[in-house]
Amino acid sequence: MNVLFEDKYILVCEKPAGTPTQAGKITEKDMVSEVNNYMRKAGAKASAYLIHRLDKPVRGILVFAKTKEAAAGLNTHFEGFDKRYIAIVEGNVEAREGSLTDYMIKDNNKAVIVDENAKDAKLARLEYSVVDNYDPKEENITHTCKLDIKLITGRFHQIRCQLSNMGHPIVGDSLYGSNIQYEKRKAIALVCYHLSFDHPVTGKRLSFSIDL
């Protein structure tokens, strides 16, 4: 397990693509069990507290609390988390930067965009900027585009659903309409590469990034 930071209050680590944050089956390997096993080997008697999640096919940074008090502090200030993602999407995104605002619901383990007055509809917002547009050299290769994304809200499958609705599904994300197979097995081309937040005890601003 790639641990990015650890003290007696929190643990920050990298989740590989294809590994669930928290599995529904006891027999399936997940990050919660990995972190708890890691902590027990170090002598901890209590289990870690899960603060936020990443989808199974997404690689990225997760933070866990090691005490009840730290968990409460992180959850209280969760809106202050700065979460940045890199996504490779199908097609060329013409606007160099922009924002998406939608209303979403969860339906049969999939996010669906609905009218704001629909039952259980939740606001979903993100901001994006174009990093690169890739112009293929061969006619049978689809245009793709790399986006840098700032997540404003944290809804279920939010980035995947909103980009698909925009007409630019994430490469490898067949659930949301991608026709391109991603090069990495059990993964989609989406990485939570940066996470910053205030330490729940010291109040110090912490920032973490992983190589793309």
Side-chain angles (χ1 to χ4, degrees):
M1 187 174 66
N2 183 18
V3 176
L4 305 177
F5 175 84
E6 181 182 9
D7 63 13
K8 62 182 180 180
Y9 303 107
I10 63 172
L11 184 147
V12 183
C13 61
E14 178 183 348
K15 185 188 88 67
T19 300
T21 302
Q22 188 172 33
K25 300 178 181 179
I26 298 178
T27 56
E28 187 176 9
K29 175 183 175 182
D30 63 11
M31 291 306 298
V32 171
S33 59
E34 287 290 292
V35 169
N36 285 333
N37 289 337
Y38 171 86
M39 288 175 54
R40 289 190 187 102
K41 289 180 180 178
K45 296 181 180 180
S47 297
Y49 295 83
L50 177 63
I51 303 302
H52 63 116
R53 301 170 186 267
L54 290 174
D55 296 345
K56 183 176 179 178
V58 177
R59 174 181 167 228
I61 303 172
L62 287 175
V63 57
F64 291 82
K66 297 172 72 174
T67 68
K68 185 177 181 179
E69 293 73 22
L74 290 171
N75 286 322
T76 299
H77 299 97
F78 189 69
E79 290 185 357
F81 277 49
D82 183 14
K83 294 176 281 187
R84 304 297 178 100
Y85 292 74
I86 286 290
I88 299 178
V89 301
E90 295 187 19
N92 284 342
V93 179
E94 295 183 2
R96 298 302 298 179
E97 59 183 28
S99 62
L100 298 177
T101 300
D102 297 291
Y103 288 85
M104 304 172 61
I105 61 171
K106 181 180 178 181
D107 184 23
N108 292 325
N109 207 36
K110 185 176 180 181
V112 179
I113 291 178
V114 296
D115 182 83
E116 63 179 296
N117 297 316
K119 182 181 178 182
D120 299 325
K122 294 182 179 179
L123 177 67
R125 292 187 59 229
L126 62 80
E127 298 172 353
Y128 70 87
S129 59
V130 174
V131 179
D132 286 303
N133 275 312
Y134 299 104
D135 189 4
K137 304 299 182 183
E138 301 178 22
E139 293 183 359
N140 63 336
I141 303 298
T142 306
H143 288 259
T144 58
C145 178
K146 182 186 287 186
L147 302 179
D148 192 305
I149 297 165
K150 180 179 180 179
L151 197 58
I152 308 300
T153 58
R155 307 305 180 197
F156 175 78
H157 287 192
Q158 179 182 331
I159 298 175
R160 300 164 66 181
C161 182
Q162 286 192 285
L163 293 181
S164 176
N165 185 67
M166 184 188 181
H168 300 283
I170 296 170
V171 168
D173 196 2
S174 58
L175 182 64
Y176 289 94
S178 174
N179 295 310
I180 305 176
Q181 185 175 356
Y182 189 45
E183 62 183 3
K184 296 183 179 180
R185 186 171 174 266
K186 296 183 179 180
I188 60 175
L190 180 64
V191 177
C192 178
Y193 75 92
H194 175 83
L195 181 66
S196 62
F197 57 92
D198 293 337
H199 192 284
V201 176
T202 68
K204 180 181 178 181
R205 191 69 176 177
L206 303 177
S207 295
F208 304 96
S209 298
I210 55 175
D211 293 335
L212 294 172

